[in-house]
Amino acid sequence: THKDGIPVRPIENTVNAPTTNISNYLDEIIRLIFDKECQNTTIIDGTSLIQALHQYMRKGLFKSTTLFCTFDIRNLYTMLPQEEALDILVEFLHVHGYTKVEGIPSETIRLLASIVLKENVFVYGKNIYQQVLGGAMGSSFTLTLANIFMWKWQKELVRRQDMTGEYYGRYIDDVFMTWNKSENALKQILENANTWHPNIKLEYKISKSRPFLDILLTNINGTLSTSVYHKPAAEPYVVPFISDHPRHVFENIV
């Protein structure tokens, strides 16, 4: 459903997989560190983005010329270079002063993360396959590892934005930025960013009105306007309540 010409995509049930408990445990202890250390560049939801932009406005930085830039990283989960991602995980912990987490040395955490990342094996037809690039999307620790990988990749963009007081925020593989200089200058920066890593490719859009997550943000002559945004691909249907689904599915809909 995410690629033209490919009407389906495979989904594996890993509830009882051998690496699931390791993945859940690593996610539990490492995600807390990431959330704490990277909160200034993390967008939690549409509401948190609006609050961040209000703070940006209070600093007097929001102008009639302010542009919004959004971009996403193509196929982030499945394009993570495994060894490099593990190295960046250890670097992230050391940079923030963690030689151990919950009493576990960082090198042991790296080994556990390697098991989660590399031991993804499945059968299709009569062949056995092993994932050698990226991580399983359904594995809880894959999200945290992808976030940490992006922490390393985005450093230069964050530095540039901080120097000029501009806003930078990321929700997993979706990024929102403000910009007050020429549009061509921003395009040049983003084109350069496309070369920072062979596995990371951006698709960006720049204008005074951009959707991000579930909100539409518009700069109307220096006034910020927000409204609810519905993605065209999100069809307005929910699971019928007479369906034989677990009860929590219907609570999640609300």
Side-chain angles (χ1 to χ4, degrees), residues 10 18 35 86 96 98 100 113 137 153 163 190 208 224 244:
D35 289 346
L86 294 171
H96 294 101
Y98 294 90
K100 292 183 178 180
M137 289 185 67
W153 178 90
M163 285 175 59
L190 294 175
K208 289 187 177 181
L224 177 65
D244 188 21

Side-chain angles (χ1 to χ4, degrees), residues 44-212:
I44 301 172
D45 52 28
T47 302
S48 71
L49 174 57
I50 293 174
Q51 291 170 345
L53 289 177
H54 282 171
Q55 187 174 356
Y56 174 81
M57 294 167 68
R58 284 193 290 271
K59 294 178 181 177
L61 298 170
F62 194 82
K63 306 171 184 176
S64 60
T65 56
T66 300
L67 294 170
F68 300 140
C69 172
T70 60
F71 65 81
D72 62 22
I73 312 296
R74 289 192 298 224
N75 306 319
L76 176 59
Y77 293 110
T78 52
M79 290 303 290
L80 286 177
Q82 294 180 340
E83 283 296 326
E84 185 179 353
L86 294 171
D87 289 341
I88 291 174
L89 168 62
V90 175
E91 178 186 345
F92 172 81
L93 293 175
H94 287 176
V95 164
H96 294 101
Y98 294 90
T99 56
K100 292 183 178 180
V101 181
E102 298 290 322
I104 304 174
S106 58
E107 283 305 316
T108 303
I109 288 176
R110 188 190 193 282
L111 178 59
L112 291 171
S114 177
I115 294 172
V116 172
L117 200 61
K118 295 182 178 182
E119 300 303 326
N120 293 316
V121 181
F122 59 94
V123 175
Y124 180 73
K126 296 182 178 180
N127 296 317
I128 298 175
Y129 296 87
Q130 182 175 21
Q131 187 167 2
V132 296
L133 181 63
M137 289 185 67
S139 179
S140 56
F141 184 62
T142 301
L143 169 58
T144 298
L145 190 61
N147 273 327
I148 291 173
F149 185 87
M150 289 302 298
W151 159 83
K152 172 83 171 184
W153 178 90
Q154 71 189 19
K155 275 187 174 182
E156 178 60 20
L157 273 179
V158 173
R159 185 188 70 82
R160 286 174 180 268
Q161 293 296 88
D162 286 346
M163 285 175 59
T164 55
E166 297 294 347
Y167 176 77
Y168 175 98
R170 180 175 57 82
Y171 179 85
I172 310 177
D173 55 358
D174 293 309
V175 174
F176 183 92
M177 297 168 52
T178 58
W179 188 256
N180 270 304
K181 296 181 181 178
S182 75
E183 184 174 338
N184 286 336
L186 178 56
K187 286 181 178 179
Q188 185 60 54
I189 291 172
L190 294 175
E191 289 298 332
N192 289 338
N194 252 328
T195 67
W196 291 348
H197 194 283
N199 291 32
I200 301 298
K201 298 301 176 187
L202 319 179
E203 294 179 349
Y204 62 85
K205 293 184 179 179
I206 305 168
S207 73
K208 289 187 177 181
S209 180
R210 292 296 308 140
F212 191 85

